Structure formats: C-alpha cells, structure tokens
Amino acid sequence: MSDNDKSNFHDVPLDIARWGFPAQYDITLKKDSDDIFDDSRVIVNIGPTHPAMHGAFRCMAKLNGEIIEKSYSEFGYTHRAKEKLGENRTYHQFIVYTDRLNYCSSLINNVTYAMAVERLMGVEVPERAIWIRMMCAELSRVIDHLICVGISAVDLGAFSYFLYGFHQREKAYTLIEKVCGARLTTSYTRIGGLMADAPEGWENEVREWCKETREVIDEMDKLLTDNRIWLKRTKNVSVFNKEQCLRYSYTGPNARAAGVDIDLRRDQPSMFYDKIDFDVPVAQNGDVFDRYYVRMEEMKQSLNILTQCADRIKPGPIWSEDKRVRIPDKDVVYNTMEGLIHHFKFFMTGFNVPAGEAYTAFEAANGELGFYIVSKGGPAAHRMRIRGPSFWHYQGLDPMIKGGYIADLVAALGSINVIAGELDR
Amino acid sequence: MDVRTSIKTNWGNFSDKYGTAWEQLLTALSNDFTSSIEQILKPGTDAVDIPTIIVKKPIIIDFLRSTKDRYGYSFLSDMTAVDEEGDPRFFVVYHLMHLETKARVRIKTRVADGEKMPTAIPLWEGANWAEREIYDMFGIHFEGHPDLRRILMDQRWEGHPLRKDYPLRGYQIFLSPEPIDPELLS
C-alpha cells in the first residue's frame, strides 16, 4: 500500500482521542533506557483457522502495543479453481459450482449465473420463473445480511443477538428447501428456467415469514443498535471513506455505508426490479456501525420487495420455450425414443452457446457479482471469469485496519463480510 | 439468437439507454487515439454486450486515464485476462463503469507471452490484487507493481493454472505452510 492511504485514515484522530495527549500539550516522554520493550514490535499471525476469521484466510499484523502498524493478508486456502472448471465443464454442469461461491446466499449466485448464460444465448425466461428468481434472490439477501450482522456481533461479544437472526435464518432455509430440496447448496436455477416450480402456497409462507422476520429485525434493532458497548466498539472504527471505496472498487452495502450510492437493482434493473418500489439505504461515515446499519435497513427493504413479489406472482410456465436449453420432460424421456436421445445429448454433451462475450452483473448480498463469459461456441466456456465482491473488499482490509487496534481488526473483518468461497473461488 | 438479442428482463437493450453516450465516447476516444485503437466492437453489430475497445499496449495506461478522468468511466468493475492461444497470446481486459449514468465499457489489450504490462495501480489501487491474480493465473508480469507475488496459489507453486496448456489435474503437495515474510511488514 502506498503512503497516501494513511492521510485519509489519520485525519480521524482516533488514536489521539483514545490514547494520546492532545497536540497542544506537546508532551514528550523521556525514554527509559532499561526498558527492553521500548520501540519493540510484535508480529502476530491470525488465522487461517481462527474462530474470529470468517473462513480460512490469514492476516499477518505488525503491532506496536495494541496498534496495528502494518499488516498483510493471505488467502487461497479454499481455492477450488472454479474458473478453470468453468472452461472444462458444460454450462449446465457449472451451475453446482456457483452454489459454492457465496455459500451464505447461494441462490443469488445461481440466479446471476443463469442470467449470464441466458444473456449470451438470447433466451427469455417466462414471468413466473423471474418472480420466483427475484424472491429467491431477496430471501438470500436477507439471510446473508442476518448472518453478517449476527456474526459480527458475536465477534464483538453479543452472542444472544446472533441467535435471534439464526432462528429466522433456519426458517428461511426451510422455505428454500421447499422450492429446491436443498438447504445450503441449492443449484436451483437452470439455464432458461428453474429446476422445479415453487409449491402451491409457497408465496404465502414467504409472506408469513416476512412478517415474522420484520418483527425479529425490529427486536434485534432494539437489542443492539443503541447499546452503548456496541456503539463504542463500532462508531468511527475502521473507517473506509467514499473516495477510498471508489479507489478499491467497493460495491454493495460496504460502499453504500460510505456514501457511494450504487445499487445495480435500481441503476441497471434486471428481472422486474423496475416494477418494484424500494429504497436504497445509504450512510455517510463508512465505519463499522454504518456497514452494520445499512445491512439492517437493507433487510427491511428486501422484506418489502419480497411481499411485493409475493403479491404479484402468478401461476404459469417456468421454462423458456427455447429448444436449445429446455430440459425435456420426464414423460417424453421415458416414453419416446426422440425424448431419450434429446435427454442423453443434453446431459452428456451439453448445449452450444453462440460465440460472444458478456459481462453480466447483479447486486448480490455483498456487492456486484459479475460473470464475464467469453464463448467461442461449443458447450463449454472459453473463459469463465467470476468477479466476487469479497475479493475487492478484502483488499481494502489492510488500509482499513492500519492505525487501529488489533481488537478492531475483528470488527472490521466481520463488518465487510468477506466470504472465503467468493474470495478464493 | 445470441448476445445481440435484446432481453427485456435481463438488462434489456443497453443501446437504447446508453447508445448516444457510447457513440460520443467512441468518437471522442478514436479522435484522441487515432492510430492506437486496433478495433472497436459495438453492441448490436458485433457479438458483445457493451462497447469493446481493443487498444495497443504501449498507450493502455494513457487510454485508461483518459477514459477515467475525461469521460467519467471512473469505476473499475473488473480486471482480468483471457488466454486466446493466438499471437499475441493474451488479452488483458478492463471493465469500467460510469458512476453517474452506470454505463459500462470494456477495454482490451493484447499481450504476448513473456511481455510485460504496465500496471494500473496509479489509477485504481484496487487493481493491485487483480494484477496479482492475473500474474498468478496467467503469468503476465506487470511493470511497476510494488508487490507482484502469487495470490491464490502457494508461493512455491509452479506453472500458471488458467493458461490453456495447463492440465486440469496436477497436484503439487507442500508439507509445510507458507512462512510469514517479515519483509512485507517493514
């Protein structure tokens, strides 16, 4: 990191406010020549398997007392070569790998990937499938934020707070299980449609869940937001201001906490987000508290979107009529020769995607999740680039924690919500 | 039906929204950098979703700076590389976004195997890790990068996994963890 990062951070007189003498006193202490620890530094290694690190990554910090003077990060422990696999698997086979990107909200990854390939092929998805996809995306966003605020509170010592959110998260998983049969690794979307239709009355269950969750979020809000200890640990801690956010390509709630007003759901509306009425919460300071509070407000907005979707969803087909991507129905496969051949060809060789390149981005729970797919024709991509927001967020951690306390490292890491699956890919 | 087909619920037709802004940008840029632009791919006519400008390597940083500072495409959405297996071998790809209009452009440059790319860190500090990843995965060196180490793979790893000639399977086992490098903390 270059030296000019420092200037922004040290404009906030954090250390002086807490520890040092105000400048006007001009006190210089005499050095104790017998003190062997004077001017000494400690190098601390945190991670890769540490309860406060959210996943397997590692942070090496040089400490002066409790203040972090310099640090660097290392990751890649969960690197599974997804981009390489994307070039060696068919487009259909790659769906399961997208689950494991941001595993706290795997449905959003499924949806974004399906959209990316559909865009390359020019496939239009029927309305019901889009509403279900939107509901899945918002449901995932809520549970991702629930775990983010919950875990960052656990890291700072508020354990019971986390359980409120986790209880609601379990219920959301049951709802997800009802549409796709899996709780964590969903693999729900297909190119041009969905794996299965949502069961009858699912939207009513979602509506009920929204009602409950709204109350729970209010309760969580009362429990923590004005708590004096929480405020002391989070206000003006690990500040990352607007200009820094833009330089480090921050997106999503972390950028909106610093006043960067970008939300791809509103600014580049895909699916039916332009028909939905919702607000984008933006804060100004970019500290841990703002990142927490933006997420709290976003959950409320997402619940609002969910109820609107539940009101507008109608019965209908969930598969595109495009013959290239449509998986043949089971009765056709079992009863006709042509259906069986079609099924076999579909799953053994995959479908061809016309040559072209597209960068499809969607507002995932953490920020802009992008798939840059270069196709040269054929059933597998030539290049499958995944732009995970956590990769860019984690990069800002070192300048963010510089000059702060080692205990605030945990607060900062929890608040930017780095997910190892998305970081390492 | 391919990427040129406009899908209403999947970002729709970008050209309706950004067509004039893109047209202005492309004419302005081709006036500024007449001889250095190799090719311009336009959505609608070519198989791309957003305007794709292929520029020659020596002026890439000037070109990016001009797009960023003069025309407002100041947000680096993504930076990556593609192994084209041709000559020159690689494409380095920058995705930029305009912060007000949210229009995007893609800027590409060709790099041969073993050739060095200039670094984009003076423009965006966030390019630091992206360049490290490109170095790690493709073996493209970036000139002027302060800390060009591997980022996802182990420092002792041999080969660059995302090159097309790299095998899909091939394990390299390290029995000891990577030690802390005190140099990086000084």
Side-chain angles (χ1 to χ4, degrees):
Chain A
M1 304 304 135
S2 64
D3 278 325
N4 50 5
D5 302 274
K6 264 195 248 167
S7 56
N8 295 316
F9 193 78
H10 284 264
D11 287 343
V12 184
L14 245 188
D15 309 339
I16 293 169
R18 286 195 178 176
W19 278 109
F21 300 100
Q24 66 265 33
Y25 293 117
D26 191 26
I27 294 173
T28 44
L29 297 172
K30 281 207 181 81
K31 270 194 179 174
D32 180 356
S33 55
D34 289 340
D35 186 356
I36 55 165
F37 295 113
D38 201 27
D39 273 342
S40 65
R41 301 288 184 270
V42 178
I43 291 179
V44 177
N45 170 50
I46 308 156
T49 47
H50 187 275
M53 302 299 276
H54 300 207
F57 31 80
R58 184 178 175 195
C59 181
M60 272 71 73
K62 186 169 79 169
L63 306 182
N64 173 11
E66 277 192 84
I67 308 273
I68 298 173
E69 278 196 345
K70 198 166 183 192
S71 64
Y72 77 95
S73 311
E74 199 183 276
F75 54 93
Y77 296 93
T78 31
H79 179 57
R80 292 142 297 170
K82 282 195 188 305
E83 294 179 6
K84 185 82 177 171
L85 284 166
E87 296 167 10
N88 288 284
R89 297 281 179 269
T90 64
Y91 288 97
H92 178 77
Q93 284 171 334
F94 193 68
I95 295 170
V96 293
Y97 294 104
T98 58
D99 294 338
R100 280 94 175 154
L101 285 172
N102 184 347
Y103 37 72
C104 289
S105 53
S106 37
L107 279 167
I108 300 188
N109 309 329
N110 295 160
V111 170
T112 316
Y113 174 68
M115 272 168 59
V117 181
E118 280 156 15
R119 194 168 165 72
L120 266 175
M121 301 184 75
V123 172
E124 180 104 51
V125 186
E127 263 193 37
R128 181 171 169 86
I130 290 173
W131 286 115
I132 294 178
R133 281 181 183 189
M134 271 172 78
M135 285 173 81
C136 288
E138 293 309 317
L139 202 59
S140 306
R141 194 184 314 279
V142 175
I143 61 177
D144 190 282
H145 286 355
L146 275 176
I147 199 133
C148 172
V149 296
I151 289 279
S152 54
V154 169
D155 288 347
L156 301 183
F159 188 76
S160 54
Y161 175 80
F162 163 73
L163 294 177
Y164 283 78
F166 214 73
H167 188 74
Q168 226 36 47
R169 200 177 138 84
E170 279 302 303
K171 288 188 176 172
Y173 270 145
T174 310
L175 287 175
I176 291 172
E177 200 180 357
K178 278 186 179 159
V179 286
C180 62
R183 291 170 83 83
L184 189 71
T185 49
T186 49
S187 308
Y188 183 43
T189 57
R190 295 286 180 268
I191 316 300
L194 298 168
M195 183 195 87
D197 199 352
E200 212 181 312
W202 185 69
E203 61 267 22
N204 294 330
E205 286 173 52
V206 171
R207 210 180 279 134
E208 241 163 67
W209 178 84
C210 287
K211 209 174 143 198
E212 265 172 45
T213 312
R214 232 174 248 129
E215 284 163 19
V216 170
I217 288 171
D218 283 344
E219 211 168 352
M220 287 166 80
D221 205 6
K222 280 181 212 152
L223 200 61
L224 196 65
T225 307
D226 293 330
N227 184 311
R228 203 192 302 168
I229 305 168
W230 174 252
L231 289 179
K232 273 199 170 173
R233 287 300 306 273
T234 55
K235 280 262 180 193
N236 282 337
V237 169
S238 305
V239 180
F240 214 58
N241 60 27
K242 185 175 179 178
E243 190 232 355
Q244 276 172 311
C245 279
L246 294 178
R247 274 194 285 146
Y248 281 88
S249 298
Y250 266 43
T251 46
N254 296 339
R256 289 195 283 275
V260 182
D261 193 4
I262 306 178
D263 189 322
L264 296 182
R265 286 175 295 167
R266 179 198 59 193
D267 299 329
Q268 276 179 350
S270 51
M271 304 199 252
F272 291 138
Y273 277 104
D274 46 351
K275 294 184 185 170
I276 293 282
D277 184 30
F278 67 101
D279 283 331
V280 178
V282 178
Q284 292 303 325
N285 301 322
D287 54 8
V288 174
F289 181 81
D290 282 2
R291 288 196 279 270
Y292 154 77
Y293 207 65
V294 162
R295 284 200 167 84
M296 289 297 272
E297 290 297 324
E298 260 188 42
M299 277 193 275
K300 293 177 193 168
Q301 293 300 327
S302 288
L303 292 174
N304 185 11
I305 298 175
L306 267 175
T307 27
Q308 287 182 50
C309 292
D311 290 340
R312 300 179 69 164
I313 191 167
K314 279 188 215 85
I318 53 158
W319 270 100
S320 160
E321 284 307 313
D322 197 314
K323 286 278 178 291
R324 292 175 297 171
V325 294
R326 173 90 196 247
I327 297 175
D329 288 329
K330 280 285 177 284
D331 57 328
V332 181
V333 174
Y334 292 144
N335 298 321
T336 65
M337 176 71 101
E338 292 75 20
L340 188 65
I341 293 169
H342 186 185
H343 181 93
F344 182 80
K345 286 292 278 180
F346 188 94
F347 286 104
M348 296 312 286
T349 55
F351 48 82
N352 288 346
V353 171
E357 51 189 291
Y359 176 78
T360 311
F362 181 63
E363 186 78 22
N366 267 345
E368 181 180 317
L369 173 71
F371 283 90
Y372 171 51
I373 304 178
V374 181
S375 169
K376 303 238 156 153
H382 179 77
R383 172 90 171 98
M384 173 82 68
R385 159 74 178 170
I386 303 160
R387 188 247 194 236
S390 290
F391 184 82
W392 304 80
H393 293 163
Y394 196 44
Q395 182 168 198
L397 186 72
D398 295 326
M400 194 188 285
I401 60 176
K402 198 173 183 177
Y405 291 110
I406 182 82
D408 292 341
L409 157 69
V410 178
L413 189 67
S415 71
I416 55 173
N417 193 22
V418 175
I419 305 286
E422 196 175 56
L423 176 68
D424 294 340
R425 286 157 306 189
Chain B
M1 294 225 283
D2 61 356
V3 67
R4 278 164 280 218
T5 318
S6 151
I7 313 167
K8 225 187 293 165
T9 53
N10 194 346
W11 286 12
N13 193 356
F14 269 162
S15 305
D16 293 348
K17 201 170 170 190
Y18 304 126
T20 42
W22 276 339
E23 209 54 53
Q24 280 169 1
L25 174 83
L26 292 179
T27 27
L29 281 173
S30 39
N31 283 340
D32 295 356
F33 299 91
T34 338
S35 56
S36 305
I37 292 179
E38 270 184 38
Q39 199 182 358
I40 293 178
L41 303 173
K42 286 179 188 167
T45 47
D46 300 293
V48 286
D49 56 338
I50 48 177
T52 302
I53 310 163
I54 302 176
V55 297
K56 287 183 181 151
K57 198 183 65 115
I59 56 104
I60 179 71
I61 293 301
D62 290 336
F63 192 85
L64 288 171
R65 185 174 283 122
S66 167
T67 337
K68 181 191 173 210
D69 295 338
R70 282 182 65 185
Y71 304 109
Y73 287 77
S74 57
F75 191 83
L76 180 68
S77 274
D78 191 19
M79 180 179 172
T80 185
V82 182
D83 186 354
E84 289 287 321
E85 296 172 288
D87 190 43
R89 183 165 177 179
F90 301 105
F91 266 135
V92 175
V93 187
Y94 302 81
H95 285 96
L96 307 186
M97 187 169 80
H98 196 292
L99 277 178
E100 271 90 56
T101 60
K102 310 294 186 295
R104 291 167 191 270
V105 285
R106 180 182 301 130
I107 294 164
K108 284 179 162 189
T109 184
R110 292 178 203 272
V111 195
D113 199 357
E115 226 178 7
K116 284 189 172 172
M117 267 293 288
T119 175
I121 298 178
L123 301 172
W124 299 278
E125 269 157 81
N128 188 326
W129 280 15
E131 286 176 359
R132 276 178 67 189
E133 197 193 342
I134 293 174
Y135 162 68
D136 190 356
M137 292 293 154
F138 293 92
I140 300 171
H141 284 261
F142 284 87
E143 216 163 11
H145 192 290
D147 178 28
L148 197 65
R149 291 177 295 131
R150 284 180 182 276
I151 191 164
L152 291 170
M153 313 302 283
D154 196 286
Q155 302 301 331
R156 295 162 283 184
W157 194 270
E158 277 170 28
H160 299 284
L162 277 181
R163 287 183 173 214
K164 286 283 179 189
D165 51 10
Y166 191 89
L168 186 58
R169 277 169 212 211
Y171 299 107
Q172 293 176 30
I173 309 287
F174 304 110
L175 294 175
S176 58
E178 216 175 279
I180 292 179
D181 187 357
E183 285 290 304
L184 293 169
L185 291 168
S186 57

